[in-house]
Structure formats: C-alpha cells, structure tokens
Amino acid sequence: PPRSHVLASPCHSRAHRLQFSRKFVPSSPPKLTMMKVAVLAALAGSAAAFAPAQQARISTAVGATEAQTDFFGLVTETDFSQELGVQPPLGFFDPLGLLKDGDMDTFNDLREKEIKHGRVSMLAVTGYLVTAAGIRFPGAEDIPDGLASWQAMLDSKDGVFVLYQMLAFFVVAEIINRDAEWLDNEAEFVGDYRNGALDFGWDKLSDSAKLNKRAIELNNGRAAMMGIWGLVTHEIMGVSILPGGYLPGH
C-alpha cells in the first residue's frame, strides 16, 4: 500500500504499538531457577578440573621444602638483593638484567665467574705493580715491565721458554681450581676449591667471620678487575697513574 496509508493505518497507532509490545515482548528476562544455577556451577567446576594447571611461583621466604617444591611444581623466586656481595657502594648491581628471569643456578654460575675473574685480576695487579717497582726473577733483569714484556720474551729463546711455563701453569691452575665432583667432598660455597685438602684456618672461623672474608674477597676482586683495566689502558694512552709519574713499558 502507499506510504501514506501505512502511516495512517490504525494498527500503527500508539495504542496498537503498546498492545503489540506487551503481547510479544516480555517485560523482564526470565529468572534462572536454583536447579539451573546448580547445573551451571557443576559444569563450571568440571571444566576447571580439566583446565591446564598453572605453575605456582613462591618466594624462598615462604620456606617450602625441596620435596614440596618438586611435588607441587613450585617455581621459587630468590631475592638476589639479599645475597652476599650486595654491598656498598653499588648495592645490587645488574644493569644488563642478567638475573631478571634467572634462578639460583644462573646466579651461582655468574658468581663463580666473578670470583675467578677477581682472583686472576688481583694477581695481575700485584704482578704489574711488582715489576713496575723493578723487582725481577733472576735472569729476567733485562725484561721490561708493562705490556712491552710480552714482545721482549718472544724475542729471546729463554723468554719463549718462560711463556711455555706460564701456559702450563695456567692449564694446571684451571684444572685444579674447581670443585672436584669425583671426590667425596662438597664445596661449602661457590668458589670453594679446597676440595677437602687445603685449610689455612678457615674451618675455625665463625659463620659471620666467613661471610665477612668472602665479602672482602668479592670487593677486592671487583676493585682489581677495574684496577688492571685502568693500568693497562693508561699505559696504552701513555698517561701515568703511578707514583712519581712512572709509566711501565716506556
């Protein structure tokens, strides 16, 4: 029919529209019965039972035992800021985020590397300063100090023999300076390479004294790593940082 007829049709009057809505459109949504709620709850519970379980993450401060950790699949989070070595002036220093997602094994691996580099650097600083002071082994009086010593040893037969001896020492030191897993001995801490054979009064110290000694070694090793790097860098630059303006290798 024409549009005007439709608009004027009585069935489209306000009364008819209201009657139509009351007849065909419910005034409010139907309410769920208690039985339906119970059925939905049961379905939700059964679905949750088959949902993949998430691994729990707890702090080591909770004190879960190793058996509980293995049985429940707990992922422990260690607060590395409370570990030995977090001390002034830097505190907990991890600018590269190496421990952001790391566990205790990662921390122990990095700590072992730090201790080893620190010990080598302490020896390097000592050797650098001793030779700069003019002290030499018998027969090596003509060997210069600093980086120039390497080329001087390569230029002589005796010097090459000394380099071979140094290489042999490095190999042996790398072999023996580690936790001997084949021995019936357990290291007291990371970096403890005594293997039950060497003890210069360490076992007689108290626990607090041991922690203090270990902290001192870490700080000295860190200072030595920066120290040897600074000494070599200044020698290459030709700028002395030693007393009296002495410059090794020049």
Side-chain angles (χ1 to χ4, degrees):
R3 180 178 178 83
S4 59
H5 290 176
V6 174
L7 293 176
S9 175
C11 66
H12 289 81
S13 64
R14 181 178 180 181
H16 280 78
R17 288 197 303 270
L18 182 58
Q19 182 180 2
F20 179 82
S21 63
R22 288 178 178 176
K23 183 177 180 180
F24 294 99
V25 181
S27 57
S28 60
K31 296 182 179 180
L32 293 176
T33 63
M34 293 300 295
M35 182 178 294
K36 292 181 180 179
V37 173
V39 172
L40 290 176
L43 291 176
S46 61
F50 291 95
Q54 297 181 350
Q55 281 188 321
R57 302 185 68 87
I58 65 168
S59 171
T60 52
V62 175
T65 64
E66 183 177 354
Q68 290 172 332
T69 301
D70 294 338
F71 182 80
F72 293 105
L74 301 177
V75 179
T76 59
E77 294 179 343
T78 303
D79 184 6
F80 297 112
S81 65
Q82 303 299 319
E83 291 294 327
L84 178 71
V86 180
Q87 52 201 13
L90 297 178
F92 180 62
F93 186 71
D94 185 23
L96 299 180
L98 300 178
L99 294 174
K100 182 179 180 181
D101 298 321
D103 52 13
M104 202 62 199
D105 290 336
T106 303
F107 177 85
N108 289 336
D109 180 65
L110 294 173
R111 172 51 55 83
E112 185 175 19
K113 290 180 172 62
E114 178 186 26
I115 292 176
K116 180 177 291 187
H117 281 82
R119 291 170 178 173
V120 172
S121 296
M122 285 187 279
L123 291 173
V125 169
T126 302
Y128 192 97
L129 296 179
V130 167
T131 54
I135 301 175
R136 299 287 189 277
F137 284 112
E141 291 82 4
D142 296 333
I143 301 295
D145 50 15
L147 298 178
S149 60
W150 295 100
Q151 188 60 48
M153 287 189 289
L154 288 172
D155 292 339
S156 66
K157 183 177 180 180
D158 291 338
V160 172
F161 182 67
V162 171
L163 290 177
Y164 284 138
Q165 289 179 319
M166 292 174 60
L167 179 60
F169 170 78
F170 292 154
V171 172
V172 173
E174 182 65 22
I175 293 175
I176 64 176
N177 281 281
R178 63 181 61 202
D179 186 20
E181 300 178 355
W182 58 89
L183 296 178
D184 186 16
N185 177 75
E186 185 176 355
E188 186 175 336
F189 54 88
V190 176
D192 176 18
Y193 301 143
R194 296 174 298 155
N195 294 314
L198 299 175
D199 180 22
F200 299 99
W202 176 263
D203 291 334
K204 298 179 181 178
L205 298 176
S206 63
D207 292 340
S208 60
K210 289 180 179 179
L211 288 175
N212 184 52
K213 293 290 186 181
R214 292 172 58 193
I216 292 174
E217 181 190 27
L218 283 172
N219 256 359
N220 288 342
R222 293 165 180 172
M225 284 188 277
M226 300 302 297
I228 190 61
W229 182 249
L231 289 169
V232 171
T233 301
H234 280 81
E235 179 184 340
I236 295 174
M237 295 171 57
V239 179
S240 174
I241 58 175
L242 297 180
Y246 180 73
L247 187 62
H250 294 267

